[in-house]
Amino acid sequence: MKPVIVRSIAEMQKISRQQIGKIGFVPTMGYLHDGHLSLVKEAKKRSDIVVVSIYVNPAQFGPSEDLSNYPRDLNRDVDLLADLRVNYIFFPSNEEMYPDNYKTWVSVEDLTDVLCGKSRPNHFRGVTTIVTKLMNIVNPDFMFMGEKDFQQLAVLKQMGNDLNFPTEIIGCPLIREEDGLAMSSRNKYLSEEQHKQALALNKSLILAQKLFSSGIDNSEIIIERMRKLIEHTDGKIDYIEIVDPDSLQSIDKLFKGCRVLLAVYIGKTRLIDNIEITD
Ligand code: PAF
C-alpha cells in the first residue's frame, strides 16, 4: 500500500495526535538513497507508525549553494517508501513551512561554529529550525538520523537535550556504495570521472585509521598524509579535522572513539564523510 501523502501541518498534527503506538520519524530532503532507506528500516523495526518527511529546506542553503538544482523526484521516493511500508509522507510546501510573517529561528551555540559551520554560515540554524518545526508537527517518539552528517547529528542531539524534546534521537551508521563512496543525494551531480576521484575521501579516512592502528596518534601528521592523498585528485579540501566526538573540538592526539571528518569539493560538488577511529 502507498504511504499517505500529507501536505498540511494541521493534518499531520491531527494524524500524530490520533496515534496510540510509537511514531518513528525520518526527516529527509528527498531523492532517497540506500542511506535514507536504512534509516526507514530501523524506524520500522522500532516503531508502530513510520513518518518520513520530504522537504528541501531553503533555510539551510547558502545564497551560492545548490537549492534550485537540488535533486527531486517525489514519485520515485513514494515508490521506494511504499516498498518499505511507510505509513505517512509529510510533504509540505515552502508557504506551509515559512509563511510570509515567519520570524522565529532556533540556533545551537559552539557546535555549529566548527567544521561545516565555518564554511556554511547559517546552515545549522536552518537545520535546527526546520527540525524543531518537524518535531512539533510529527510529534515522534523516535527520530532516526544518519552518522554521515555527524555534526548535524551532534547539533540536533544537543538541541533535543537543551530544549527537552520528548523525542529520542537515534544515530544510525553511514552507508557506503560498494566502492566506498559515502551515499549522498549529491553523488548524482558527479560525472563518472569525478565519482572515481571522490573515492579519495573514503581512502583518506581508511589511511587515518591505518596510521592510528600502526601507532601514529599525532593529528597533524595524519591530516597531512590525508591531505596529500586527496591532493593527488582534483579535489579541493574545505577541511580535514580530527575531533572529540562530543565537543567537536579539534584534538592534537587521536584516541579510540575520536572522529575524523572532512569536506572536499569534487568539481562544484561539496562532499562530506567521516569515520570513527577504532583500535
Ligand atoms: O539531513 C538532511 O537531509 C536535512 O538536513 C534534514 C535533517 C532533513 C533537515 O532539513
Side-chain angles (χ1 to χ4, degrees):
M1 221 175 58
K2 290 223 168 178
V4 176
I5 300 180
V6 182
R7 292 166 197 264
S8 111
I9 292 174
E11 181 65 16
M12 190 69 243
Q13 283 176 322
K14 188 171 158 208
I15 291 168
S16 305
R17 269 199 304 271
Q18 285 167 348
Q19 300 308 320
I20 302 160
K22 299 273 184 212
I23 301 179
F25 175 48
V26 182
T28 80
M29 299 207 296
Y31 210 75
L32 305 176
H33 51 67
D34 283 351
H36 296 113
L37 301 184
S38 72
L39 303 177
V40 173
K41 285 177 194 157
E42 198 54 33
K44 281 298 287 184
K45 265 193 235 158
R46 300 214 203 182
S47 350
D48 304 300
I49 296 288
V50 173
V51 180
V52 174
S53 64
I54 297 180
Y55 179 60
V56 182
N57 172 32
Q60 67 188 76
F61 288 77
S64 61
E65 292 179 354
D66 54 350
L67 172 62
S68 56
N69 297 329
Y70 196 84
R72 292 161 168 91
D73 190 342
L74 180 64
N75 291 336
R76 177 179 161 276
D77 289 346
V78 171
D79 287 345
L80 289 169
L81 297 176
D83 289 346
L84 296 182
R85 298 186 322 282
V86 162
N87 305 87
Y88 297 98
I89 296 175
F90 180 53
F91 182 68
S93 64
N94 286 339
E95 294 70 35
E96 188 73 356
M97 295 308 268
Y98 297 107
D100 279 347
N101 62 346
Y102 192 83
K103 295 188 199 308
T104 303
W105 301 96
V106 179
S107 63
V108 171
E109 294 182 356
D110 299 338
L111 294 180
T112 56
D113 297 338
V114 293
L115 304 166
C116 290
K118 279 192 204 157
S119 50
R120 302 188 73 191
N122 286 334
H123 166 70
F124 287 110
R125 184 182 87 142
V127 172
T128 44
T129 301
I130 198 68
V131 172
T132 299
K133 286 168 71 66
L134 290 168
M135 288 208 272
N136 282 332
I137 295 164
V138 175
N139 198 18
D141 295 279
F142 310 112
M143 180 169 78
F144 299 85
M145 315 223 52
E147 285 187 349
K148 154 125 183 310
D149 294 286
F150 187 78
Q151 184 176 13
Q152 169 172 278
L153 178 61
V155 167
L156 291 173
K157 280 189 170 170
Q158 180 78 39
M159 180 184 87
N161 282 335
D162 289 349
L163 298 184
N164 313 105
F165 277 104
T167 304
E168 185 185 342
I169 301 178
I170 299 171
C172 301
L174 184 158
I175 306 291
R176 298 184 181 280
E177 314 254 1
E178 263 177 37
D179 59 13
L181 182 65
M183 288 207 180
S184 163
S185 305
R186 291 190 167 96
N187 292 351
K188 177 187 156 55
Y189 301 141
L190 302 173
S191 66
E192 211 172 301
E193 176 51 33
Q194 287 175 328
H195 185 118
K196 277 190 203 142
Q197 297 197 6
L199 299 181
L201 276 73
N202 181 39
K203 284 186 188 152
S204 74
L205 293 169
I206 294 172
L207 174 65
Q209 175 64 63
K210 276 195 186 140
L211 291 171
F212 179 72
S213 302
S214 74
I216 299 172
D217 65 357
N218 182 298
S219 296
E220 223 176 289
I221 294 175
I222 292 181
I223 290 173
E224 195 43 38
R225 292 282 301 274
M226 292 173 70
R227 185 174 291 282
K228 285 210 174 107
L229 192 154
I230 294 172
E231 281 173 355
H232 265 102
T233 69
D234 290 340
K236 288 210 169 44
I237 298 168
D238 179 5
Y239 67 78
I240 304 175
E241 291 203 34
I242 305 180
V243 304
D244 176 281
D246 299 317
S247 68
L248 301 185
Q249 294 300 311
S250 286
I251 52 173
D252 295 336
K253 273 184 186 303
L254 278 74
F255 56 84
K256 200 178 142 207
C258 74
R259 207 91 191 181
V260 186
L261 301 101
L262 45 72
V264 176
Y265 285 93
I266 303 287
K268 285 190 173 143
T269 308
R270 185 175 179 280
L271 299 175
I272 56 172
D273 202 345
N274 71 81
I275 193 177
E276 180 186 5
I277 293 295
T278 57
D279 288 333

